[in-house]
Each structure stands twice: as C-alpha cells, then as structure tokens.
Amino acid sequence: MTVLNGKEIVQNGDFKSKRLEHWQVGVTKKYGQELESKVKGNAIHFENIKETSPKYVTLSQYIDLEENTEYTVSFDAKVGDKMTGKVTMAVGRPGFACPLQDKSNYNHLKPRMLKELGPEWKHFEFTFKTIYKTDNSEVFEKGFKMSKAKEKWRTYEKDPGIAPTQIIFNLGGMGGNFSLKSVKIEKVSK
C-alpha cells in the first residue's frame, strides 16, 4: 500500500473499522434523500437510493497527492438487481471549491461513469496523472463545519499549486442499492 506523509492515501478503504471513519456521506435533505448505509463484510452498503442530483448524494474522502505523479485508483463495486440511472467517480477538487480556478485544473481523473455494474462484485481500475499538489492536512479536521471548510478552500484556490482533493463517488444519479469495497490509490512505480 502506498503511503504519503506516513499514512495510506485512502484511509479505511477496506472498511475494516466497521465504521465510515475518514469517509463523508454528502446528503442534502432538501432533495428528500436520506441515505441509509451500513458497513459489513469489509464493504459499505447503501440501500434504497432515490435518483436525484449526483452532486448532492456522495461518498467521498479527502486525500493528499503529489504533483505531476502517476497514480492508479482501484475499487470493487456492485449494485442491486433493480438499479436505475448511473454512478460516477472522480478524483479532483470539490465542486463548490473551484469558483476561482479554471475548470481545466479541476480534476486529476475526470468523472468516470461506472458501466458494467451488476449484482456481482466488479473490479474497476483507472490510472491518472496529477495536475497539482494537494495538502489537505490543514483543510480537513474531524467534525469540521462546512462553512469553515469553504472559507479555507477559497484561500487555497488562489494558489493553483495547492488545493484540496477528494476521491468522490456520486450516487445521486442512480436509484437502488450500491456497495463498495477495497478502495485504494497507489503510486505507479516506474
């Protein structure tokens, strides 16, 4: 497992802690979505997702990456028999954290639709090269308030070299059940 600054790039990617430690579930009640999740069997399971807007129903984690470096992100996912819509994942800046930046600098790995999802576990793997360096150590603290985080991100945006980065799974574009396990980001060795 690749480590950066003494820790794994994706923390609790195997969900062994039986909790969502280091992960955030983004849900906007305004859209009527209450995500029910449970961690069991080293995977996270979401049930009865209603198809809404992808940017409001997410599972994400802040990560630190080095600039101009090649990485591979991998994970296993599955959906229930009656899934509708789509699931996407990306590695990049939070959507509301880039009003000052050119969109070309927004994502290391542009959103990828997870095609071929079905009721059996499917392995996904994508390689990407980073655009900018990230240092989320000062951005993310346990129990942060969203308004404080937005203020902090705006100060980072003025420097295109350092900005927050997330691995983010957008679930709002789908309906049904979704499960995820074995999430890793590893540096590509040369």
Side-chain angles (χ1 to χ4, degrees):
M1 184 68 66
T2 302
V3 295
L4 189 62
N5 301 329
K7 65 181 182 185
E8 292 179 3
I9 295 173
V10 174
Q11 296 181 71
N12 192 27
D14 55 11
F15 301 101
K16 281 188 179 172
S17 74
K18 305 292 183 214
R19 295 189 307 258
L20 274 180
E21 240 169 42
H22 303 286
W23 290 96
Q24 296 139 29
V25 178
V27 179
T28 305
K29 289 180 186 172
K30 173 178 160 184
Y31 288 87
Q33 180 69 70
E34 294 279 347
L35 269 192
E36 290 180 29
S37 66
K38 59 185 168 192
V39 178
K40 70 175 190 179
N42 295 340
I44 181 162
H45 307 277
F46 293 95
E47 295 180 357
N48 304 315
I49 301 169
K50 297 174 192 157
E51 223 172 305
T52 58
S53 169
K55 66 182 180 178
Y56 295 111
V57 183
T58 61
L59 175 69
S60 66
Q61 182 176 139
Y62 293 98
I63 54 175
D64 290 319
L65 300 174
E66 296 171 7
E67 187 177 10
N68 202 25
T69 303
E70 201 168 5
Y71 292 93
T72 297
V73 58
S74 63
F75 53 89
D76 295 338
K78 69 177 183 174
V79 294
D81 287 332
K82 297 179 182 170
M83 178 231 183
T84 59
K86 65 180 182 175
V87 177
T88 59
M89 72 78 56
V91 176
R93 293 178 181 165
F96 50 77
C98 63
L100 305 176
Q101 290 297 324
D102 183 317
K103 285 286 186 183
S104 63
N105 269 345
Y106 175 67
N107 282 316
H108 300 299
L109 174 62
K110 296 203 182 317
R112 300 290 174 100
M113 192 168 11
L114 304 184
K115 298 177 182 175
E116 304 165 22
L117 278 169
E120 302 298 322
W121 287 108
K122 168 84 176 155
H123 183 72
F124 292 89
E125 196 167 293
F126 305 104
T127 300
F128 63 96
K129 190 170 186 176
T130 53
I131 301 162
Y132 53 87
K133 174 187 183 298
T134 65
D135 180 4
N136 292 317
S137 57
E138 290 181 38
V139 178
F140 178 70
E141 295 169 11
K142 255 189 171 175
F144 72 91
K145 297 276 185 231
M146 193 56 77
S147 58
K148 275 188 176 180
K150 283 184 184 180
E151 277 176 39
K152 191 78 167 173
W153 286 324
R154 285 190 181 108
T155 65
Y156 278 105
E157 285 172 343
K158 293 172 185 165
D159 178 355
I162 300 174
T165 291
Q166 289 178 308
I167 177 169
I168 185 163
F169 294 87
N170 291 323
L171 309 177
M174 70 162 287
N177 301 338
F178 177 75
S179 298
L180 180 71
K181 67 179 184 177
S182 305
V183 185
K184 295 180 197 167
I185 294 182
E186 299 175 300
K187 199 185 290 190
V188 174
S189 55
K190 304 258 175 178

